[in-house]
Amino acid sequence: MARLNPENTELARELIGHYPRPKSALIPLLHLAQEQDGYVTDEAMVHIAELVGVTPAEVLGTCTFYEMFKREPVGKYLVNICQGIACTIMGAEELIGHAEDALGIKVGSTTPDGTITLERAECQAACTEAPCLQVNYRYRYRVTDEDFDGLVAQLRSGALDAEIPPHGTLARRPYRQHMPADRRNGPGFIDGAGEPVWIKRHREAAEAQGSTS
Amino acid sequence: MTLNEVPLIVTGRLAAHDDAHTIARYEATDGYQGLRAALGHSPAEVTGIVKDASLLGRGGAGFPAGVKWGFCPPNVWPRYLVINGDESEPGTYKDRILMERDPHQVIEGILIAAYAIGCAQAFLYCRGEMALAHERLGAALNEAYAAGYVGKNILGTDYSIDIAFHWGAGAYIVGEETALIESLEGNRGMPRLKPPFFPAAKGLYLQPTVVNNVETMANLPWILRNGAEAFHALGAETSRGTRLFAVSGHVKNPGVHEVEFGVTTFRDLIYGKCGGIRGDRALKAFIPGGASSPWFFEEHLDLPLETKAVGDAGSMLGSGAIVVMDETTDVVKASRSLVRFFAEESCGKCTPCREGTTWMERILNRIIDGEGRPEDMNLLLDVCDNISPTITWPPKQTTICPLGPSAPPSVASVVRRFPEEFERYLGAKFEVTVPINGAAYLPKPAASATVPGGTES
């Protein structure tokens, strides 16, 4: 529970290398910290600040703006029930009420066994599938009370472990972008940037044609 | 009511194939042929093709894509391309489908756009909450790099560009293009003042930057393969090609439909494609273009899904989000849901939005909880008027970005159309003294005076 481990530090350096300026990697790096520890620890933010070359306060400033970053531990599964307009008129409030009853907790809290944290969420872009929810940002569509109870039982039994990684992991490792060294062009740095070669070639060709006609 | 048979420009592949997200399927179904076609043209010619096609941006504002590309000042380098996949407007569900189920089509569109604009790098900014889209886009980019479509010397030419996959962390405001840029720089996602920070002039790292929507990119491969004329032949007026509309709420078959832009009507979608209202109940209202748009009613059903026609009727098509409400809907609670969204998502930079949306939500909560006072209605409208003076459409702005001024339209719609629903909560009549303007904020027409397809004059 602390700084990024060596493997994640390596991945962090790779991510920083995707951008012309290191600070652009801040949000992906905060996600990496959350993937490692389940939430964003102070130590991880200090480490990220060192990697990116900003102050820890700047990392905190960015971290606190975004809803997905948790500053304290949450359950293994974060269940977000959508309260957007389409879900609201299709029964989201009733579903949230059922979830509170079924889990024995209020929205914003975690079950005593540390398995499930329940939250309300704004529109999840699944409006035609209302009411919907996400478990660690994996969708469940047209959720009935019975569906919800079944989902909770499956989460508790581990039946969904293969599909739904613990809170913090978004793209699983095999599906992350890796730019191959022999194929990548390199970040579009500002310093020394000129007209791209293909733009220059076509411009000069057009000018040559213009001068001969 | 028959809909024209039109090619499915952006959803054809994913509708036909469950494995449309793989490069094997993509290449077997015309994949990357639009990029090859583009590389056979000069960048200026590609921009011309997109202009001739009259492709409007699909993010919500509906600005012509080719024209937007031309706003970068000449001879200022580097230029960047940022793709907005931060789809989060309530009711909107279209970009996620394209990113999850046909990611190579988005990537190919980015490659075509960056070639035409002359970009040094492209960034694909996906909403943080979409884990499957992250995996599909990450895997697709890895495939596309390995196959030589992205990176250095693309398809053996001198065109080189990296596409960096980037993802957010939960903030609707980041869908606003200058806030998106702030976020991509690693900052809190607060909008920048325009001027001077028009992205085309002072965008990412204060360099010329084009910000385009995911669906806009997804149209480009088809346009390059089939030509501007074929695209322009579809649709009407300023609205060409096809467009994705998500129809949600109280219809029998909610769904995302790609239909001919400009000619298909709301009735075609709601009563045709979506099978009508659940339980064959009566329609009460529908939201034509996302949480920000003034509501429409039965008399608007025969309007075409055309940017100008919907604008003239007093609302907007916005992000293609149609939310249908039947006669059982509590429109006061529905309106509260929309206001709560803006209150939650205000970034806090501008006072009218930060304070105003919060007050609106509190007043509505009080009314719904049975604690409301008749004078709350004018208080609510007065707050609306402070956020967006004269409560008109399009909304007047008091703020850096349009988020705050997007909150009043739903309230204005309900107050004008369904005052009795507020009266039921208040247990008393009220008289509105704060004026509401705007063509669509209309009271209920007299029973005999329903004019299909038009607004009351």
Side-chain angles (χ1 to χ4, degrees):
Chain A
M1 300 295 151
R3 295 164 65 88
L4 297 178
N5 64 33
E7 185 195 347
N8 286 335
T9 305
E10 192 61 32
L11 186 51
R13 293 212 167 93
E14 182 187 332
L15 283 165
I16 291 167
H18 287 182
Y19 302 91
R21 290 190 176 164
K23 196 184 177 189
S24 282
L26 244 187
I27 290 173
L29 296 197
L30 285 163
H31 278 300
L32 191 59
Q34 183 150 285
E35 179 177 329
Q36 176 180 294
D37 297 328
Y39 68 107
V40 181
T41 66
D42 289 352
E43 294 84 351
M45 283 192 282
V46 170
H47 193 187
I48 289 170
E50 291 167 14
L51 289 166
V52 172
V54 299
T55 66
E58 286 176 90
V59 179
L60 178 65
T62 296
C63 178
T64 53
F65 186 81
Y66 297 94
E67 181 68 31
M68 288 174 74
F69 295 134
K70 307 301 178 194
R71 298 286 326 287
E72 49 191 56
V74 295
K76 183 180 178 189
Y77 299 108
L78 177 64
V79 174
N80 284 319
I81 301 181
C82 182
Q83 62 172 8
I85 178 67
C87 289
T88 291
I89 66 171
M90 293 296 283
E93 287 302 324
E94 292 76 6
L95 180 61
I96 291 167
H98 173 78
E100 288 185 331
D101 290 346
L103 295 171
I105 56 171
K106 301 298 277 183
V107 162
S109 50
T110 303
T111 55
D113 64 356
T115 309
I116 293 171
T117 298
L118 183 65
E119 287 191 350
R120 293 169 172 268
E122 291 302 341
C123 186
Q124 295 175 337
C127 310
T128 62
E129 314 302 323
C132 67
L133 60 78
Q134 290 184 323
V135 186
N136 291 350
Y137 306 104
R138 271 77 181 170
Y139 286 92
R140 289 294 180 275
Y141 293 153
R142 304 191 189 197
V143 183
T144 63
D145 290 355
E146 294 71 36
D147 292 341
F148 184 85
D149 296 343
L151 171 68
V152 170
Q154 283 187 305
L155 290 173
R156 290 209 155 115
S157 73
L160 295 174
D161 284 0
E163 185 204 348
I164 304 177
H167 177 254
T169 299
L170 294 168
R172 290 164 292 176
R173 289 292 157 107
Y175 306 102
R176 272 182 174 269
Q177 182 185 16
H178 295 286
M179 293 185 193
D182 60 330
R183 284 288 314 138
R184 68 176 307 191
N185 183 48
F189 290 115
I190 298 165
D191 293 339
E195 190 175 20
V197 286
W198 72 94
I199 297 281
K200 184 163 183 267
R201 173 168 57 84
H202 283 286
R203 179 178 55 75
E204 288 175 351
E207 285 168 2
Q209 199 171 28
S211 65
T212 55
S213 62
Chain B
M1 131 191 14
T2 52
L3 290 175
N4 296 339
E5 283 294 321
V6 292
L8 297 179
I9 291 177
V10 296
T11 59
R13 189 176 296 102
L14 67 87
H17 304 286
D18 285 340
D19 62 349
H21 59 281
T22 64
I23 196 164
R25 176 62 67 192
Y26 194 68
E27 288 180 321
T29 49
D30 297 332
Y32 291 107
Q33 296 303 324
L35 172 64
R36 290 178 200 275
L39 294 176
H41 294 287
S42 73
E45 286 166 356
V46 174
T47 304
I49 289 167
V50 175
K51 272 188 196 164
D52 291 344
S54 305
L55 172 64
L56 299 186
R58 299 298 198 236
F63 197 80
V67 177
K68 192 172 188 178
W69 297 354
F71 285 159
C72 291
N75 298 318
V76 182
W77 312 101
R79 293 174 180 170
Y80 296 110
L81 177 63
V82 179
I83 302 307
N84 188 345
D86 192 58
E87 178 170 73
S88 8
E89 170 93 2
T92 310
Y93 172 26
K94 61 183 187 69
D95 295 338
R96 182 165 71 84
I97 289 182
L98 299 174
M99 293 189 287
E100 287 179 354
R101 295 182 55 193
D102 200 347
H104 284 284
Q105 183 175 246
V106 179
I107 292 166
E108 187 181 355
I110 295 170
L111 293 167
I112 293 166
Y115 172 77
I117 299 162
C119 296
Q121 195 177 350
F123 301 89
L124 173 48
Y125 191 125
C126 181
R127 182 174 171 186
E129 290 95 327
M130 298 175 177
L132 179 61
H134 299 185
E135 295 191 342
R136 290 280 170 83
L137 286 164
L141 279 165
N142 290 343
E143 290 176 326
Y145 266 94
Y149 296 119
V150 194
K152 196 187 272 292
N153 299 120
I154 292 167
L155 294 174
T157 68
D158 60 358
Y159 173 42
S160 303
I161 191 157
D162 277 338
I163 300 174
F165 178 70
H166 187 90
W167 61 109
Y172 164 75
I173 186 59
V174 165
E176 195 277 336
E177 59 182 7
T178 61
L180 189 81
I181 288 168
E182 278 289 318
S183 183
L184 186 49
E185 291 186 5
N187 302 324
R188 297 169 75 84
M190 290 176 159
R192 295 173 174 174
L193 201 58
K194 299 190 279 191
F197 298 109
F198 287 109
K202 298 278 179 200
L204 184 63
Y205 315 123
L206 302 186
Q207 291 296 125
T209 301
V210 172
V211 183
N212 274 158
N213 170 263
V214 162
E215 188 188 346
T216 312
M217 290 298 102
N219 275 283
L220 296 176
W222 193 94
I223 292 172
L224 267 290
R225 286 202 311 273
N226 296 281
E229 276 182 36
F231 190 86
H232 194 272
L234 301 167
E237 305 292 331
T238 58
S239 303
R240 297 291 170 175
T242 63
R243 231 192 121 167
L244 287 177
F245 291 95
V247 187
S248 61
H250 300 151
V251 287
K252 287 177 184 167
N253 307 306
V256 183
H257 297 286
E258 179 172 358
V259 295
E260 187 173 5
F261 200 9
V263 296
T264 308
T265 66
F266 288 106
R267 189 185 298 279
D268 292 333
L269 266 184
I270 295 171
Y271 287 90
K273 289 265 182 192
C274 296
I277 311 297
R278 64 174 185 180
D280 293 318
R281 293 198 183 101
L283 174 73
K284 190 165 192 174
F286 62 99
I287 300 174
S292 319
S293 58
W295 294 9
F296 271 175
F297 309 98
E298 193 172 0
E299 66 267 27
H300 299 103
L301 278 173
D302 292 306
L303 280 172
L305 296 157
E306 200 280 310
T307 306
K308 187 172 179 301
V310 172
D312 289 347
S315 191
M316 67 168 182
L317 280 181
S319 48
I322 298 170
V323 185
V324 178
M325 293 176 259
D326 74 12
E327 58 191 327
T328 67
T329 310
D330 183 331
V331 289
V332 179
K333 282 188 175 167
S335 169
R336 190 259 306 263
S337 168
L338 294 168
V339 168
R340 177 177 61 196
F341 170 78
F342 291 111
E344 285 277 330
E345 298 296 337
S346 174
C347 80
K349 190 167 186 171
C350 310
T351 312
C353 171
R354 182 187 64 238
E355 302 299 321
T357 56
T358 309
W359 290 344
M360 284 175 72
E361 187 195 355
R362 284 185 197 159
I363 296 166
L364 283 168
N365 282 343
R366 183 161 73 197
I367 291 170
I368 289 168
D369 291 345
E371 307 288 325
R373 303 162 300 195
E375 59 267 34
D376 276 347
M377 294 310 299
N378 282 312
L379 180 61
L380 182 62
L381 291 171
D382 188 50
V383 173
C384 289
D385 185 71
N386 272 284
I387 300 173
S388 183
T390 73
I391 317 180
T392 186
W393 185 265
K396 290 187 168 46
Q397 280 196 224
T398 50
T399 46
I400 288 172
C401 89
L403 189 148
S406 297
S410 67
V411 168
S413 291
V414 180
V415 174
R416 286 308 301 279
R417 186 73 172 208
F418 307 106
E420 70 281 2
E421 305 234 353
F422 281 103
E423 286 168 356
R424 196 172 307 139
Y425 274 109
L426 293 167
K429 298 257 178 216
F430 59 84
E431 189 190 343
V432 172
T433 55
V434 178
I436 299 173
N437 300 290
Y441 300 133
L442 290 172
K444 204 182 195 76
S448 59
T450 305
V451 184
T455 52
E456 299 293 290
S457 57

